[in-house]
Amino acid sequence: MTECQICGGQVTELVDFGRQPLSDAFRVPNDSSEEFFFRLAVGLCDSCTMAQLMEQVPREKMFHEDYPYHSSGSTVMRKHFELTARHFLETELSGPDPFVVEIGCNDGIMLRTVAAQGVRHLGVDPSGGVAEVARGLGVQVRTAFFEETTAREIAAEHGPADVVYAANTICHIPYLNSIFRGLDALLQPSGVFVFEDPYLGDIVERTSFDQIYDEHFYLFTARSVRAMARRHGFELVDVERLPVHGGEVRYTVARAGSRPVDAAVEALLAEEAARGLGEPATLRAFGDAVARIRTDLVALLSELRAQGKRVVAYGATAKSATVANYCGLGPDLVEFVSDTTPAKQGRLTPGTHIPVRPPEAFAEDHPDHALLFAWNHAEEIMAKERTFRDAGGRWILYVPDVHVV
Ligand code: SAM
Ligand code: TMP
Ligand code: ZN
């Protein structure tokens, strides 16, 4: 039994993905050092309903100088964050001398637009390599883990923030109580904390189990986020569903009583209650659906191998570590993974040791099938790789079930 990292209640384990590596630890070939593994399992808190991992991976093992994920690798995401920045500039940041802090700014994908407008900002990210890329775009970055002490230091140096924003980062942080204490110190009385992360509602609906990996410590719902905010004198005042990364929710949190609560919050809470999202039975059924996907995917890939077909994968995503390790996909079933990220190319996927190659390897000699690990970027990728499909190539998808298109 694990203790809830938010409320101290008991967490009941519901789905076990077994032994998993660090999802972003791409290995240099012939590296004989021991690989790090942990047990990936997810449970629900009996008290506050927060879905969380049963085991924590030390943060320094995941986020460091060589963290390989560069947010700007996707055109769709660049557009999404440019629009996000413009939205803030027109609303919360339209007063005199506004100040915005971004937790997990990565390569500056959002803050570059804020910086270009000359608006005061600060990105905080512990991963030095991506932070340096952001600096090259004119973004101010502090290379650090955001937590209570960091927030207090920023407040002392820069004054209060109008907006604290984070995308695909808050779910990475087990120590959220420290984050909320920090927000209390850093936010203006009327300021907002806005964050967006994969939504448990979408994960269950699409059986997108690959959203569960070391870095994704929490799987949020409106209900669990509201309970967490309330523990710290904050209120969930708005929610917005986003189509990116396979379905996310953008949560807006403000000091209790400082803003009206939008009707969208009650609507999403009601929907979650109707679907039983906070119920153990819902996650157990999800676990059964996940096991079926494993059976179907392994059967399909084994059959293709028996037929002598060439299968590669597309997108060496962090998510794919869960799929590949849970399903036991190695170089015998998947020849290589095509990926645009230079830091991943020439390396081997964590745990399963499938070679990662640049997209040219995919284009030069089209395989028969491509397993779309980056299914969340399907539209962008399928449009870009039309010649593969035209030449008779087929995409294999496993969300929401195993199918070939
Ligand atoms: N915001 C970008 C996006 O949505 O594409 C980046 C998301 S990336 C998956 C998560 C980022 O959070 C990484 O760059 C990581 O270094 C950073 N991170 C992890 N823990 C953090 C913390 N405690 N404070 C600030 N950043 C953190
Ligand atoms: P993500 O799903 O976590 O955003 O990761 C996407 C991965 O897929 C990242 O390693 C970059 C890679 N990728 C490609 O190789 N080609 C593409 O067209 C896109 C959009 C991503
Ligand atoms: Zn709890």
Side-chain angles (χ1 to χ4, degrees), residues 69 73-75 213 245 314-319 338-341 344 359 374 376-377 380-381 384:
Y69 183 70
S74 157
T75 317
Y213 52 94
H245 288 310
Y314 202 103
T317 59
K319 289 185 287 297
S338 168
D339 196 285
T340 49
T341 316
K344 296 181 183 179
N376 48 314
H377 302 291
E380 179 174 348
I381 290 171
K384 189 159 69 179

Side-chain angles (χ1 to χ4, degrees), residues 49-91:
T49 75
M50 183 66 85
Q52 56 202 281
L53 299 190
M54 303 303 291
E55 239 182 68
Q56 264 184 59
V57 171
R59 62 187 189 177
E60 291 79 9
K61 284 197 182 295
M62 299 185 282
F63 311 115
H64 44 67
E65 190 60 31
D66 299 323
Y67 181 66
Y69 183 70
H70 288 244
S71 302
S72 297
S74 157
T75 317
V76 170
M77 293 314 297
R78 282 205 300 275
K79 188 78 204 159
H80 170 77
F81 287 118
E82 187 193 329
L83 291 174
T84 302
R86 293 202 184 289
H87 165 74
F88 284 135
L89 290 167
E90 286 162 14
T91 55

Side-chain angles (χ1 to χ4, degrees), residues 187-367:
L187 272 182
Q188 290 273 19
S190 62
V192 282
F193 172 41
V194 181
F195 64 100
E196 57 199 62
D197 283 292
Y199 178 50
L200 183 62
D202 288 306
I203 293 170
V204 167
E205 189 180 331
R206 300 174 190 207
T207 323
S208 44
F209 66 101
D210 53 351
Q211 290 288 11
I212 302 168
Y213 52 94
D214 56 350
E215 295 173 18
H216 286 183
F217 186 79
Y218 292 111
L219 309 171
F220 297 129
T221 60
R223 181 173 173 188
S224 61
V225 166
R226 185 175 69 166
M228 171 170 70
R230 285 183 170 175
R231 293 179 66 79
H232 294 275
F234 285 83
E235 184 62 56
L236 177 62
V237 296
D238 203 0
V239 287
E240 182 190 352
R241 296 189 73 162
L242 304 173
V244 296
H245 288 310
E248 303 206 323
V249 169
R250 177 178 286 172
Y251 304 92
T252 301
V253 168
R255 293 182 199 280
S258 69
R259 300 205 177 201
V261 178
D262 194 275
V265 174
E266 276 310 323
L268 191 57
L269 287 167
E271 188 183 320
E272 290 177 357
R275 291 180 55 192
L277 255 197
E279 305 296 327
T282 306
L283 272 197
R284 283 208 183 89
F286 163 79
D288 294 342
V290 172
R292 281 195 294 278
I293 288 182
R294 169 165 65 180
T295 306
D296 293 351
L297 186 58
V298 172
L300 173 64
L301 295 177
S302 304
E303 190 188 315
L304 290 172
R305 181 182 54 187
Q307 292 171 2
K309 302 279 193 208
R310 283 185 62 220
V311 178
V312 310
Y314 202 103
T317 59
K319 289 185 287 297
S320 65
T322 298
V323 181
N325 285 277
Y326 174 69
C327 299
L329 312 182
D332 54 328
L333 291 174
V334 177
E335 195 179 309
F336 66 85
V337 189
S338 168
D339 196 285
T340 49
T341 316
K344 296 181 183 179
Q345 294 162 358
R347 301 214 174 194
L348 306 176
T349 57
T352 48
H353 303 178
I354 305 169
V356 182
R357 304 236 167 91
E360 293 77 52
F362 181 78
E364 273 161 20
D365 188 9
H366 279 325

Side-chain angles (χ1 to χ4, degrees), residues 25-187:
F26 291 85
R27 277 171 83 80
V28 176
N30 303 321
D31 179 352
S32 56
S33 66
E34 202 182 322
E35 208 166 355
F36 176 89
F37 286 94
F38 74 109
R39 192 174 75 88
L40 179 70
V42 66
L44 277 183
C45 172
D46 298 347
S47 306
C48 75
T49 75
M50 183 66 85
Q52 56 202 281
L53 299 190
M54 303 303 291
E55 239 182 68
Q56 264 184 59
V57 171
R59 62 187 189 177
E60 291 79 9
K61 284 197 182 295
M62 299 185 282
F63 311 115
H64 44 67
E65 190 60 31
D66 299 323
Y67 181 66
Y69 183 70
H70 288 244
S71 302
S72 297
S74 157
T75 317
V76 170
M77 293 314 297
R78 282 205 300 275
K79 188 78 204 159
H80 170 77
F81 287 118
E82 187 193 329
L83 291 174
T84 302
R86 293 202 184 289
H87 165 74
F88 284 135
L89 290 167
E90 286 162 14
T91 55
E92 304 292 337
L93 301 177
S94 60
D97 194 27
F99 178 46
V100 54
V101 172
E102 185 181 12
I103 308 173
C105 65
N106 199 272
D107 61 6
I109 190 167
M110 194 285 282
L111 283 180
R112 62 188 296 176
T113 303
V114 174
Q117 295 301 313
V119 168
R120 279 201 306 133
H121 65 274
L122 183 66
V124 183
D125 202 303
S127 299
V130 290
E132 202 48 39
V133 176
R135 283 188 198 102
L137 296 169
V139 175
Q140 305 288 320
V141 189
R142 177 186 289 241
T143 306
F145 285 96
F146 187 93
E147 56 191 337
E148 185 181 356
T149 48
T150 334
R152 289 190 184 283
E153 285 163 18
I154 295 170
E157 279 170 38
H158 300 264
D162 300 278
V163 177
V164 175
Y165 174 72
N168 306 300
T169 299
I170 294 305
C171 73
H172 295 51
I173 305 181
Y175 41 100
L176 287 185
N177 290 331
S178 166
I179 299 293
F180 268 94
R181 290 193 298 271
L183 289 168
D184 197 25
L186 177 58
L187 272 182

